[in-house]
């Protein structure tokens, strides 16, 4: 989560869908095929002094292949699509890195290059997503979007941490926004709340809801 939403997908969806991917992976191994997973997440963005809007993300993993599409993410009234390849490994300390390339159209139009990466150790995990959007229509609109999370899981169903984002999807006097977040997971559904710039006039609340298959 890049864009006005809390980036995402690999952070909210990858962490939220871990159990679902494991189940699908076992089924795929028995069938002799690659691991497959599908997840969709919606984010309700609520700037304190701005217009509310919803961002949508749908992603699929087929083995190491990553496919993803986003709506209202890099900008409002914009749609983007990506393809990437995942490299993962580790035992006590696990890692995952997915270089992605794509295209965005709408209010912002042009090619995108980026990276989604994560580290996990015991009950701690760190996720970062960063992308560069080259706007072919307005050069000054070209921009680096970023989203990262540092989290702790006191229980399998609860994830708490700190999120940081850099976005231009809405107007803000803060180039870098920070704040706490909490996520709860029940079976294949994950809900979360992010609170950026708490106790300031530039507060932004993001409410997320995701499902994995």
């Amino acid at each position: 989560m890049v864009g006005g939403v809390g980036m995402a997908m690999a952070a909210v969806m990858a962490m939220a869908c871990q159990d679902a991917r494991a189940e699908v992976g076992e089924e795929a191994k028995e069938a002799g095929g690659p691991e497959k997973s599908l997840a969709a997440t919606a984010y309700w963005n609520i700037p304190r002094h701005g217009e509310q809007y919803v961002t949508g993300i749908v992603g699929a993993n087929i083995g190491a292949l990553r496919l993803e599409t986003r709506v209202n993410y890099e900008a409002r009234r914009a749609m983007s699509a990506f393809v990437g390849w995942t490299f993962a490994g580790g035992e006590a300390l696990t890692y995952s890195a997915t270089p992605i390339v794509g295209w965005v159209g709408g209010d912002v139009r042009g090619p995108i290059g980026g990276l989604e990466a994560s580290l996990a150790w015991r009950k701690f995990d760190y996720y970062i997503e960063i992308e560069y959007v080259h706007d072919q229509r307005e050069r000054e609109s070209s921009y680096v979007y970023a989203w990262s999370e540092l989290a702790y899981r006191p229980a399998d169903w609860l994830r708490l941490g700190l999120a940081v984002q850099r976005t231009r999807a809405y107007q803000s006097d803060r180039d870098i926004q920070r704040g706490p977040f909490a996520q709860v997971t029940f079976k294949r559904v994950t809900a979360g709340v992010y609170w950026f710039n708490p106790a300031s006039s530039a507060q932004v609340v993001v409410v997320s809801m995701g499902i994995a298959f």
Side-chain angles (χ1 to χ4, degrees):
M1 63 141 92
V2 186
V5 128
M7 282 309 334
M9 174 77 110
V12 173
M13 292 193 307
M15 301 304 298
C17 309
Q18 194 173 28
D19 294 338
R21 288 183 181 178
E23 293 175 9
V24 175
E26 289 303 316
E27 294 172 1
K29 288 178 182 178
E30 293 176 4
E35 286 190 25
K36 299 178 183 179
S37 64
L38 175 67
T41 306
Y43 300 87
W44 179 21
N45 300 268
I46 314 169
R48 184 173 184 178
H49 299 295
E51 182 182 354
Q52 301 178 18
Y53 66 100
V54 175
T55 297
I57 301 174
V58 177
N61 296 287
I62 306 172
L65 178 65
R66 172 72 174 171
L67 303 174
E68 188 172 323
T69 185
R70 307 169 181 169
V71 178
N72 295 337
Y73 195 72
E74 286 75 19
R76 300 188 199 183
R77 296 175 296 277
M79 178 178 289
S80 55
F82 301 86
V83 61
W85 195 263
T86 299
F87 303 88
E91 295 182 4
L93 176 65
T94 60
Y95 70 88
S96 175
T98 307
I100 57 173
V101 292
W103 183 272
V104 60
D107 282 5
V108 176
R109 183 182 299 274
I112 302 175
L115 174 70
E116 300 172 351
S118 64
L119 289 171
W121 178 72
R122 295 185 179 179
K123 295 185 177 183
F124 295 91
D125 67 83
Y126 176 73
Y127 170 80
I128 184 168
E129 180 172 343
I130 187 167
E131 68 176 38
Y132 176 72
V133 179
H134 177 69
D135 193 337
Q136 294 184 328
R137 295 183 300 183
E138 297 183 21
R139 189 172 181 179
E140 61 274 14
S141 295
S142 298
Y143 192 66
V144 175
Y145 294 80
W147 172 279
S148 65
E149 297 180 358
L150 179 62
Y152 172 72
R153 285 182 178 271
D156 290 342
W157 57 272
L158 178 63
R159 184 168 177 258
L160 306 173
L162 175 68
V164 180
Q165 73 165 339
R166 187 171 191 254
T167 180
R168 286 186 179 174
Y170 52 83
Q171 295 296 322
S172 175
D173 58 1
R174 297 195 177 191
D175 188 49
I176 304 296
Q177 302 183 33
R178 306 173 182 84
F181 74 89
Q183 292 175 344
V184 294
T185 299
F186 178 72
K187 294 185 177 180
R188 298 181 182 232
V189 177
T190 295
V193 176
Y194 297 79
W195 184 20
F196 292 101
N197 314 319
S200 78
S201 60
Q203 293 181 53
V204 179
V205 174
V206 178
V207 180
S208 67
M209 181 68 69
I211 185 168
F213 303 94

